[in-house]
Amino acid sequence: MSSITSYVALGDSFTEGLNDHLGGDRYRGWADRLAELLAARESGFRYANLAVRGRLIGRIADEQVPQAEALAPDLVSLCAGGNDILRPGGDPDAIAAQLDAAVGRLRATGARVLLFTGFDLRQVPVMRLVHHKIAVYNLHIHDIATRHGCTLVDLWAMGVLRDRRAWSEDRLHLSADGHRRIALRAAEALGLPAEEDWREPYPPLGPSVWAEARKEDLRWARMFLAPWVNRRLQGRSSGDGLGAKRPELAPVSMMLPDHG
């Protein structure tokens, strides 16, 4: 692997790190974890994370991509379009065209670009309704990665992420362990050696009780699904008024808290 001395992460809540909690309103996430792995190998390594929860691909392209161009890092990760796909009328072909243009700009800087497919969410209520659109978008992402010479992380193929323990209580964002596994998978794609294996299966679960499972589904719908749908109907985003958590390239030791 060629030397990576700087890394800028672009995207939405997935890259911001929800729900890998650090306490209060702070999140760690797979990108921070990947930055830590890169920093351990390269003296003077610097990292920025421009991702903001709820961002659509248009704003990512208009706001985050120019910032990344100006920062001129060795590596840029870009995961975008998921929020667009989930919206009524989201067209995977049109969204892919925006992604293609953004990737072209980033590659023109000479940066290595790390792309991600969408997750296989067919096991998640409601999300299974857009399963086919995610699959079509993923085909575009594979094509974009090949044409632009990007490194691709195929999240769809990560069977371990179909375990509910890879996801947080809201079923929309990864758990801390889910983020850990994504960081390990991204490191593998970049050619970094890892001491842990993201493929390691979760311990077996006991049989679920149907009544308890339905009760939990109702609780999830009330606490998480209904507010999410309400924001969409009102044209609001969870990221309204928020900025990037790490807007400038800086040493990881200065940017990330001590995780023990």
Side-chain angles (χ1 to χ4, degrees):
M1 183 193 75
S2 58
S3 177
I4 297 176
T5 62
S6 53
Y7 165 40
V8 174
L10 312 181
D12 51 32
S13 60
F14 168 66
T15 302
E16 184 184 346
L18 276 64
N19 279 326
D20 188 359
H21 293 278
L22 281 171
D25 294 327
R26 298 182 305 150
Y27 298 94
R28 188 183 183 189
W30 69 265
D32 289 17
R33 292 170 180 268
L34 177 60
E36 292 169 345
L37 294 173
L38 290 164
R41 294 175 54 85
E42 192 68 44
S43 176
F45 176 83
R46 297 175 302 147
Y47 166 58
N49 189 320
L50 308 181
V52 179
R53 68 196 73 170
R55 285 293 188 263
L56 299 175
I57 193 168
R59 288 194 66 179
I60 292 171
D62 291 344
E63 299 171 3
Q64 297 179 27
V65 170
Q67 293 176 61
E69 290 175 311
L71 292 171
D74 297 327
L75 173 68
V76 178
S77 66
L78 173 60
C79 186
N83 289 317
D84 301 77
I85 289 288
L86 295 177
R87 294 201 168 205
D91 180 356
D93 297 334
I95 298 166
Q98 292 178 281
L99 180 68
D100 184 48
V103 171
R105 291 176 59 181
L106 294 170
R107 287 291 287 144
T109 69
R112 183 172 183 177
V113 175
L114 185 65
L115 294 179
F116 296 78
T117 68
F119 295 105
D120 183 355
L121 298 176
R122 73 185 80 185
Q123 77 281 8
V124 181
V126 181
M127 297 303 166
R128 65 172 63 101
L129 298 176
V130 295
H131 177 263
H132 68 288
K133 291 205 297 184
I134 298 173
V136 171
Y137 189 46
N138 282 351
L139 291 175
H140 283 294
I141 294 171
H142 277 274
D143 177 60
I144 291 167
T146 299
R147 286 189 292 101
H148 289 284
C150 302
T151 301
L152 180 66
V153 176
D154 191 350
L155 301 176
W156 184 280
M158 292 179 65
V160 71
L161 297 181
R162 298 186 187 105
D163 191 292
R164 69 186 188 216
R165 287 166 288 187
W167 297 86
S168 61
E169 189 180 22
D170 67 9
R171 305 184 188 180
L172 300 172
H173 300 99
L174 294 165
S175 65
D177 191 67
H179 280 285
R180 181 185 68 86
R181 291 173 186 266
I182 298 295
L184 291 171
R185 177 66 184 89
E188 179 182 270
L190 292 170
L192 273 67
E195 297 181 359
E196 301 173 279
D197 186 357
W198 62 266
R199 301 170 185 82
E200 181 181 357
Y202 287 98
L205 285 171
S208 61
V209 178
W210 186 90
E212 288 298 322
R214 299 294 74 74
K215 182 178 179 181
E216 181 58 29
D217 285 344
L218 290 172
R219 176 180 174 275
W220 168 77
R222 183 179 67 256
M223 293 187 63
F224 300 108
L225 178 61
W228 181 80
V229 170
N230 188 49
R231 285 197 302 272
R232 295 300 177 275
L233 293 175
Q234 295 182 10
R236 295 185 295 111
S237 166
S238 57
D240 288 346
L242 298 180
K245 66 177 183 178
R246 295 177 178 130
E248 301 293 338
L249 284 171
V252 170
S253 60
M254 293 175 58
M255 300 292 280
L256 301 178
D258 182 6
H259 303 307

